[in-house]
């Protein structure tokens, strides 16, 4: 009998194409590819939505659409009633209250089923949850595996909540069979960041202002920002280059890079990866990518930052702009420190952030048997 693995979204009920190649989609895809399970992403319909990744990146995985009734929670319930016999395993993302009724019903219909919840946790979000609430405790008690992608959050929640919290890293999967060997001699004096450029959360201004303050001390270095640029950020960019015209050739905005092979080349060519986020949910995708690219990490103090730097062996955690400026000058001026950190980053990636290994442990936690 083929085991059915079904992933449900808890905010709007909708999965976009981008989610298929993030942990939301990688986990069910690898359960299909490695173990032969029937893996399905169940999604609400959106106008003009298409899924090129189904063919190009995750062939064999399926998309099922919810009934278009205007309420994704009711639609998920109806879908469950119609398909519960096939749904042997449920994957949930985030401890959203929108899942509560759904999971109650699933446990009534399939007491033998398996439930995996990826908390996507950060301390700010988790601290706002009333973990003593009866409905919340009932919800988590119905999950077979509760996991977070950060060791810090695993320890924190394990002490706070009366549940066992597993550590399942948010890793990297090499969809495009990119050559992951890094030639450290070919890296350039580039400080790279990747993400949605200009959002309040990503706080890209911290990087740009800090670099401007020390650019004269680092004449051979440049900054590259990869990602879709938010419309409201463009006025800031204009003001920035008006204020710092000499940086026009040294601060580069590439826009979004959709092909993973091209994106990995950016990581492999950069010496430093930086993430200046005010907040992150668990471990961001770009951490695993940049570690596999052999990048020295310069990160703000979000929950998973320390472990992403191997507690200082392959990067630093900055506290504020003054600290960022000081660290940039020190790090960029010390090529041996950079090289040692880059090699450690690559080693850390292979040991801890390889999704092919991560899925083996998750499979063992869910289904038992011998861990591979």
């Amino acid at each position: 009998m083929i085991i059915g693995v079904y992933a449900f979204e808890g905010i709007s009920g909708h999965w976009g194409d981008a989610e298929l190649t993030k942990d939301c989609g990688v986990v069910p895809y690898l359960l299909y590819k490695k173990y032969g399970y029937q893996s399905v992403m169940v999604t609400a319909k959106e106008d003009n939505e298409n899924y090129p990744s189904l063919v190009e990146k995750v062939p064999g995985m399926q998309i099922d659409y919810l009934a278009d009734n205007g309420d994704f929670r009711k639609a998920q319930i109806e879908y469950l009633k119609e398909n519960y016999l096939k749904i042997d395993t449920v994957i949930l993302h985030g401890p959203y209250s929108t899942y509560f009724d759904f999971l109650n019903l699933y446990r009534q219909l399939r007491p033998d089923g398996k439930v995996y919840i990826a908390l996507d946790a950060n301390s700010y979000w988790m601290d706002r949850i009333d973990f003593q609430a009866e409905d919340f405790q009932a919800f988590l008690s119905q999950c077979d595996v509760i996991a977070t992608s950060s060791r810090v959050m695993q320890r924190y929640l394990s002490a706070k909540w009366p549940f066992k919290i597993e550590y399942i890293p948010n890793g990297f999967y090499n969809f495009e069979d990119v050559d992951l060997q890094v030639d450290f001699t070919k890296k350039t004096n580039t400080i790279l960041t990747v993400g949605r450029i200009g959002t309040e959360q990503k706080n890209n201004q911290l990087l740009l202002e800090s670099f401007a303050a020390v650019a004269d001390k680092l004449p051979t270095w440049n900054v590259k920002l990869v990602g879709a640029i938010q419309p409201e950020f463009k006025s800031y960019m204009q003001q920035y280059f008006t204020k710092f015209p000499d940086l026009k050739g040294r601060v580069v905005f590439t826009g979004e890079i959709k092909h993973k092979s091209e994106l990995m080349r950016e990581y492999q060519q950069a010496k430093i990866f930086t993430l200046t986020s005010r907040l992150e949910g668990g471990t961001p995708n770009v951490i695993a990518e940049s570690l596999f690219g052999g990048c020295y990490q310069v990160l703000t103090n979000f929950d998973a930052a320390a472990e992403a730097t191997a507690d200082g062996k392959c990067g630093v955690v900055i506290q504020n702009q003054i600290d960022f400026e000081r660290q940039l000058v020190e790090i960029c001026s010390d090529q041996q420190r950079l090289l040692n950190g880059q090699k450690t980053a690559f080693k850390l990636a292979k040991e801890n952030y390889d999704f092919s290994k991560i899925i083996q442990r998750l499979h063992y936690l869910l289904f038992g048997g011998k861990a591979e």
Side-chain angles (χ1 to χ4, degrees), residues 95-97 100 121-133 136 153 156-157 160-161 279:
Y96 297 108
S97 60
F100 290 5
N122 61 57
S123 54
Y124 175 74
W125 180 15
M126 296 300 106
D127 281 345
R128 293 168 63 197
I129 294 174
D130 181 4
F131 71 92
Q132 294 180 323
F136 181 71
M153 287 307 302
Y156 177 67
L157 293 177
K160 181 178 181 179
W161 292 356
L279 195 68

Side-chain angles (χ1 to χ4, degrees), residues 130-170:
D130 181 4
F131 71 92
Q132 294 180 323
E134 185 177 345
D135 57 354
F136 181 71
Q137 293 214 7
F139 170 68
L140 286 189
S141 69
Q142 294 171 325
C143 299
D144 295 281
V145 178
I146 306 167
T148 179
S149 61
S150 162
R151 290 190 187 277
V152 169
M153 287 307 302
Q154 179 204 19
R155 291 192 290 266
Y156 177 67
L157 293 177
S158 293
K160 181 178 181 179
W161 292 356
F163 298 97
K164 184 176 182 180
I165 310 298
E166 300 287 352
Y167 169 60
I168 301 293
N170 186 9

Side-chain angles (χ1 to χ4, degrees), residues 182-299:
V182 180
D183 187 343
F184 296 100
T185 66
K186 292 184 178 180
K187 281 184 170 287
T188 63
N189 289 349
T190 299
I191 302 165
L192 174 70
T193 193
V194 178
R196 292 171 291 122
I197 305 301
T199 64
E200 182 179 359
Q201 176 193 352
K202 296 301 179 184
N203 193 22
N204 301 115
Q205 292 92 330
L206 176 58
L207 167 60
L208 295 171
E209 298 294 336
S210 299
F211 183 70
V214 299
D216 288 346
K217 298 178 181 178
L218 304 172
T220 65
W221 283 80
N222 59 66
V223 169
K224 187 174 286 189
L225 300 95
V226 175
I229 301 171
Q230 305 304 299
E232 62 271 19
F233 191 66
K234 293 182 179 179
S235 61
Y236 170 83
M237 292 164 56
Q238 293 174 349
Q239 295 170 13
Y240 181 83
F241 287 124
T242 299
K243 187 177 180 180
F244 306 109
D246 293 344
L247 297 184
K248 281 188 176 179
R250 297 177 61 190
V251 175
V252 178
F253 294 85
T254 70
E256 185 177 8
I257 297 177
K258 293 186 176 181
H259 292 291
K260 295 292 186 181
S261 57
E262 295 178 22
L263 182 58
M264 183 51 66
R265 279 195 290 272
E266 295 289 346
Y267 289 119
Q268 291 173 339
Q269 291 171 4
K271 289 184 178 178
I272 292 174
F273 175 77
T274 186
L275 199 60
T276 52
S277 302
R278 292 185 171 93
L279 195 68
E280 288 289 347
T283 303
N285 297 303
V286 291
I287 292 297
E289 293 172 350
S290 62
L291 289 170
F292 267 102
C295 295
Y296 191 91
Q297 307 284 306
V298 179
L299 310 173

Side-chain angles (χ1 to χ4, degrees), residues 44-45 66-79:
K45 292 181 181 179
L66 298 169
D68 190 8
N69 63 7
D71 186 334
F72 81 90
R73 290 169 295 185
K74 290 182 179 178
Q76 286 179 340
I77 292 288
E78 290 305 312
Y79 181 92

